[in-house]
Amino acid sequence: MEWTAVDNDACAVTLTSDVLGDRWSVLVLREIFNGVRRFDDIQGHIGVSRSVLAQRLRRLMDHGILHKREYQAPGDRPRYEYRLTEMGRSLQPVMQAMMEFGDRWLTSHDDPTVIVRHKECGARVKVTSVCAEGHVIDEPRDLYAVLGGAPLKSAS
Amino acid sequence: MEWTAVDNDACAVTLTSDVLGDRWSVLVLREIFNGVRRFDDIQGHIGVSRSVLAQRLRRLMDHGILHKREYQAPGDRPRYEYRLTEMGRSLQPVMQAMMEFGDRWLTSHDDPTVIVRHKECGARVKVTSVCAEGHVIDEPRDLYAVLGGAPLKSAS
DNA sequence: CAGTATCCCAAGCGATACTG
DNA sequence: CAGTATCGCTTGGGATACTG
């Protein structure tokens, strides 16, 4: 099929890429998906400067991916933690697809760093392409993309 | 569970994030997944400067995601096109997960920009989390992550 | 068509120090 | 603990012009 230019401002991939942000944001998200939720802990783990971390957290909050919660351990001073919103949680397939790609192609070791499991049965979870007819598609070549109904790029 | 710091240099998400690169690289990949393969076409579609596009293409080739092919339409002068390697094609789930996230949360219109279909049956394809027991998991909260066997961060 | 070379500017970064 | 403020410095970017 022939492709007219997709409107960048309306393209889902573009927009998601903007929300994900840069490398630092992705690392922040990894930490939070892993349950690391406090400023200094995140900073220690990923080794980013404080100002950049603050900016990334704010950015992720602005996009509705994270929200900040204050909590108080009894007799302790208040703490803050960053948690995923529902929108943030729905980035899980993106993160996991990245994980699986990295484990397949990029890591030197055989074992994955992180394994995702199903709470209900404990079995390992993978991201899978499935069509509406129920076929599982392992080979990307068995897919094709067509334009949907969204507006195209206006200009020439 | 308690999390020890994952070694950033061994983390699959980190490494994939590096390969994906920045916004421009992702847009380049979108174009190439959409079958737009020539330098000037890509440049026209995504509106990046020539030097940056050249650098991103080189980078994606260095990472083994793309390769460059010369071809010759009969009686025409040689042309070049960028194609996905097998490694590049296996980024498809990542791209599609991004697309689905964007379509759900970020686009203003109801219709998706791009629809992915199964060649064999034409049915629409979605990325799905499936566990080894065959359960389909729609809700990210029904998942949990544990450390795999990969090495942890060495320092402090 | 498919790039490379140059230039100049702006944004981004880490380091450091400071605040509630 | 959880940030903000300030500061140089480097990197990266678009624009433009040039080459095979």
Side-chain angles (χ1 to χ4, degrees), chain A:
Chain A
M1 92 173 281
E2 282 309 304
W3 283 87
T4 317
V6 169
D7 182 354
N8 286 324
D9 298 334
C11 163
V13 173
T14 311
L15 295 167
T16 302
S17 185
D18 286 345
V19 165
L20 270 184
D22 66 348
R23 174 197 162 80
W24 290 129
S25 298
V26 173
L27 291 190
V28 168
L29 285 173
R30 180 195 69 185
E31 292 300 317
I32 293 181
F33 269 104
N34 285 352
V36 179
R37 302 194 168 100
R38 296 217 310 266
F39 191 94
D40 282 16
D41 290 343
I42 298 172
Q43 201 225 341
H45 284 194
I46 72 181
V48 68
S49 73
R50 306 182 69 75
S51 49
V52 169
L53 176 57
Q55 200 240 326
R56 293 303 186 279
L57 288 169
R58 197 177 321 120
R59 189 182 153 77
L60 289 168
M61 287 193 292
D62 291 346
H63 281 300
I65 302 298
L66 300 180
H67 63 108
K68 188 178 178 174
R69 216 182 59 162
E70 180 176 350
Y71 69 100
Q72 184 119 12
D76 213 349
R77 52 201 217 66
R79 298 281 187 87
Y80 302 93
E81 60 177 13
Y82 293 91
R83 302 193 67 103
L84 293 162
T85 60
E86 188 198 349
M87 184 180 173
R89 282 192 299 277
S90 73
L91 278 173
Q92 201 277 336
V94 177
M95 300 294 289
Q96 191 170 347
M98 291 179 65
M99 249 183 54
E100 293 181 15
F101 176 87
D103 280 327
R104 173 168 174 197
W105 294 100
L106 303 173
T107 61
S108 44
H109 41 83
D110 291 336
D111 297 313
T113 312
V114 171
I115 294 174
V116 176
R117 295 188 180 279
H118 187 195
K119 267 187 193 162
E120 193 182 296
C121 70
R124 183 147 178 206
V125 173
K126 299 222 176 197
V127 161
T128 310
S129 290
V130 182
C131 79
E133 301 286 331
H135 304 122
V136 172
I137 299 119
D138 291 319
E139 178 53 60
R141 296 221 208 214
D142 294 338
L143 303 171
Y144 66 98
V146 295
L147 284 178
L152 297 175
K153 192 171 181 175
S154 42
S156 82

Side-chain angles (χ1 to χ4, degrees), chain B:
Chain B
M1 90 174 283
E2 281 309 302
W3 282 87
T4 316
V6 169
D7 182 354
N8 285 324
D9 298 336
C11 163
V13 173
T14 311
L15 294 167
T16 302
S17 186
D18 286 345
V19 165
L20 270 184
D22 66 348
R23 175 197 162 81
W24 289 129
S25 298
V26 173
L27 292 190
V28 167
L29 285 173
R30 179 195 70 186
E31 291 300 317
I32 293 181
F33 268 104
N34 284 352
V36 179
R37 303 193 166 99
R38 296 217 309 266
F39 191 95
D40 282 16
D41 290 342
I42 298 172
Q43 201 224 341
H45 283 194
I46 72 180
V48 68
S49 73
R50 306 182 70 73
S51 48
V52 169
L53 176 57
Q55 200 240 324
R56 293 304 185 278
L57 287 168
R58 197 176 323 118
R59 189 182 152 79
L60 289 168
M61 287 193 292
D62 290 346
H63 281 299
I65 303 297
L66 300 180
H67 63 108
K68 188 179 180 174
R69 212 182 62 162
E70 181 175 348
Y71 69 101
Q72 184 117 11
D76 213 348
R77 53 203 214 66
R79 297 281 187 85
Y80 302 93
E81 59 177 13
Y82 294 91
R83 303 192 67 103
L84 293 161
T85 59
E86 188 198 349
M87 184 181 173
R89 283 192 298 277
S90 73
L91 279 171
Q92 201 277 337
V94 177
M95 300 294 289
Q96 191 170 347
M98 290 179 66
M99 249 183 53
E100 291 180 16
F101 177 86
D103 281 326
R104 173 169 175 198
W105 294 100
L106 303 174
T107 61
S108 44
H109 41 82
D110 290 335
D111 297 313
T113 313
V114 171
I115 294 174
V116 176
R117 295 188 180 280
H118 187 194
K119 267 186 192 162
E120 193 183 293
C121 70
R124 185 149 177 204
V125 173
K126 299 223 175 195
V127 162
T128 310
S129 289
V130 182
C131 79
E133 301 285 332
H135 304 123
V136 172
I137 300 120
D138 290 320
E139 179 52 60
R141 295 221 208 213
D142 294 338
L143 303 171
Y144 66 97
V146 294
L147 283 178
L152 297 176
K153 192 171 183 175
S154 42
S156 89

